[in-house]
Structures are given as C-alpha cells and as structure tokens.
Amino acid sequence: MPTIDYVPLDAEAVRTSIELVGAVTADDLARPTPCRAWTLYGLLAHMATQHYGFAAASRGESDPAVWKLVDLGDDPAKAYIASAEHVLDAFGQDGVAERSFPLPEFGPGLSFPGSQAISFHFIDYVVHGWDVAKSLGVPVSFSPEVLAAARGVTDAIPTGEIRQAPGTPFAADVPWSGDDVVDGIVAHLGRNPDWKA
C-alpha cells in the first residue's frame, strides 16, 4: 500500500480555509459554529493557534506555550490568514514528513512521525473548513483526493466510550447514511451534517 503524502492534501485543506475566512466580516465573528460553545471568532482563534503549534512542532519545538490560545487582534480574518500561511510555509520545507513532531497538546513528552502529525492537522482543517462554511452558510468543497485521504484518516479514529472521556477531541459519532463524503466525515467525528446557524 503506497504511503500517503499528506503535505499537499493538508495544503489544499488549509487554502480552502483561507478562501472561506477571507470573506469573514466583523459582523460574522459572533456567529455560532458546529463546534460546541465556540463562536466563529473562537473557532478562528483555535484554528490559528493550532497552525502555530503544528508549525513549531515541525521545527522540533516542544514548548507548550506555543499552544496557548492566540489573540486575533483588530483584524481576526487577517490574523487567521497569517497563521495559515505560516503553517503552509513550515510544512513546505524539505523533509518535513520525515521529522519527529513533539505534540505536547497530546500529552507530556509525546512525539509523532511527521507524516502522522500532518495527517492530524489535515483532518482538522477539512473538518474546520466545513465548520467555518456552515457558520457562514456557504458551501465548501474539496478535491476527490482530499476527500479520499480524509475518509481514511477519519475511519482510523475510534468511536465508542473513548469519545466520552474528558478532554477527548471528538464528540460521539452521529449516525449518518447520506452519500456526501464530507457529511460522512464530520458525522463520524461528532458533528451533525444538518447543522445550521
């Protein structure tokens, strides 16, 4: 079975988020999102923080302070886009998928192979792209290659009691039988595909 190169797939997911966020106005920032208890501003702050955290991890940096929630300042959309471009640059460096990524957010002292770590970031930005689009009430689309890889990553994430543990990154999966691949992915990860703002 060929190894999946998540770098270009992740880049497509991140660029899709940039396109979506580029249309965000100040009035949009208080909108609800499919992420429990997060407004669109809160979601963008989380997404920007993750970009900086994963970029630092790609350089071997393990300081947990990098993962502290960022302030998006006076222009949250611009600040988000800067964070996205930062991680695109970091993941675009030669040999990034062969490095070891320290990810203190997953637990003290934990590191992951670069390709696996990038797959974590990748699935987050497929799902968070969907979250942003849902919050704004606009469609989102990904290439068949992105969807196939995202489905593979999603299927490897366990369901059941582990989803009820404190601090779990995903809610319990939502039963879903539709044909839309993105809807199937987000349902597996605990979102309701029919969510509306």
Side-chain angles (χ1 to χ4, degrees):
M1 185 178 203
T3 302
I4 295 173
D5 182 359
Y6 287 104
V7 172
L9 300 167
D10 180 80
E12 181 183 328
V14 172
R15 288 191 187 102
T16 298
S17 77
I18 289 173
E19 291 173 14
L20 289 163
V21 175
V24 167
T25 68
D27 291 340
D28 292 324
L29 295 172
R31 286 176 176 265
T33 73
C35 298
R36 293 171 295 186
W38 277 346
T39 61
L40 183 56
Y41 176 92
L43 174 60
L44 295 181
H46 164 76
M47 291 166 68
T49 301
Q50 293 289 304
H51 286 324
Y52 287 120
F54 273 89
S58 77
R59 298 186 293 267
E61 298 170 22
S62 59
D63 184 353
V66 176
W67 299 84
K68 184 179 177 186
L69 194 66
V70 299
D71 183 337
L72 298 179
D74 295 332
D75 191 339
K78 183 177 179 181
Y80 172 76
I81 291 168
S83 74
E85 290 172 344
H86 181 80
V87 81
L88 287 172
D89 179 68
F91 283 6
Q93 301 303 308
D94 288 343
V96 69
E98 284 74 54
R99 299 176 189 170
S100 179
F101 281 45
L103 295 176
E105 204 183 42
F106 285 68
L110 284 182
S111 291
F112 296 84
S115 182
Q116 184 180 21
I118 294 167
S119 79
F120 299 160
H121 187 267
F122 162 66
I123 194 61
D124 260 4
Y125 287 86
V126 171
V127 175
H128 286 325
W130 179 90
D131 290 330
V132 172
K134 280 289 189 178
S135 180
L136 295 172
V138 299
V140 64
S141 62
F142 299 100
S143 70
E145 293 78 14
V146 162
L147 293 177
R151 180 81 256 180
V153 173
T154 302
D155 287 347
I157 298 171
T159 58
E161 289 184 12
I162 193 169
R163 296 283 187 92
Q164 297 167 18
T168 184
F170 302 111
D173 56 311
V174 174
W176 184 253
S177 59
D179 295 328
D180 188 282
V181 178
V182 176
D183 285 351
I185 289 166
V186 299
H188 186 85
L189 299 179
R191 270 106 160 138
N192 180 354
D194 293 328
W195 187 93
K196 287 182 174 57

